[in-house]
Amino acid sequence: MEATTIAAGASVLGGLMGYKGNMSAARSAQAVGEYNAQVAENEAILLARQTRDHERNLRINSERIKAKQRIMTAAAGVQMSGSPLQALADTYFSTEEDAARIRAAGDVAQMQKISEAALQRTQGAARATASRYAAYGSLLTGATQAAQSYDLE
């Protein structure tokens, strides 16, 4: 076998190996991006649960405070009007404000995770595309080198 034929064969083989490796890297990049996106989406779900639990605990504690206010007012022999009623209303409105803040903060955190998931998918797709182009480049380089091996004769 001639050296030129061996060199051409090696060039083609090198191009094929580069193609195969880069295509594997493309699949891997896509899979990693999807995995990271799913992790971020799961974190968004956990944040939603955490927000719901935080708001529920706030409301439970608020109900306890309102019950104590009613009991203390009744024990003092005072009717629920005027200042005692105002204190109860303040508790209610403060609870609603705090609940709204909890929900808003939870929504922001969830949107960040959803955005992170989209970004991870986009980055994975971009890396996969880059690896595919590199794979095609490997094929072209191998073919060019093989052709040049025969041109040298």
Side-chain angles (χ1 to χ4, degrees):
M1 203 177 240
E2 287 184 28
T4 307
T5 305
I6 293 172
S11 294
V12 170
L13 185 59
L16 289 173
M17 295 297 288
Y19 173 81
K20 194 156 176 62
N22 284 319
M23 289 304 277
S24 177
R27 285 188 297 277
S28 178
Q30 191 82 40
V32 166
E34 183 58 31
Y35 173 80
N36 289 338
Q38 287 177 354
V39 167
E41 288 171 343
N42 288 341
E43 288 173 352
I45 291 168
L46 291 175
L47 284 168
R49 290 178 185 163
Q50 184 181 34
T51 299
R52 184 195 64 223
D53 292 346
H54 191 184
E55 183 179 352
R56 187 185 74 234
N57 289 339
L58 171 75
R59 291 187 183 283
I60 288 170
N61 289 334
S62 177
E63 288 302 318
R64 286 182 185 142
I65 290 170
K66 287 190 281 187
K68 282 183 183 178
Q69 287 173 327
R70 286 186 192 110
I71 290 169
M72 291 174 69
T73 301
V78 178
Q79 290 190 1
M80 190 59 76
S81 64
S83 293
L85 185 59
Q86 184 62 40
L88 194 60
D90 287 345
T91 301
Y92 172 79
F93 290 119
S94 293
T95 299
E96 291 307 311
E97 285 177 18
D98 290 344
R101 284 188 192 104
I102 289 169
R103 283 191 305 273
D107 289 347
V108 167
Q110 288 173 47
M111 286 307 299
Q112 287 173 337
K113 288 300 177 180
I114 291 168
S115 295
E116 181 183 330
L119 179 63
Q120 290 293 337
R121 282 192 177 94
T122 301
Q123 288 176 338
R127 286 187 197 107
T129 299
S131 292
R132 283 188 202 97
Y133 282 130
Y136 303 141
S138 294
L139 283 178
L140 291 173
T141 299
T144 301
Q145 288 175 346
Q148 287 174 346
S149 295
Y150 284 112
D151 284 344
L152 294 176
E153 285 185 17

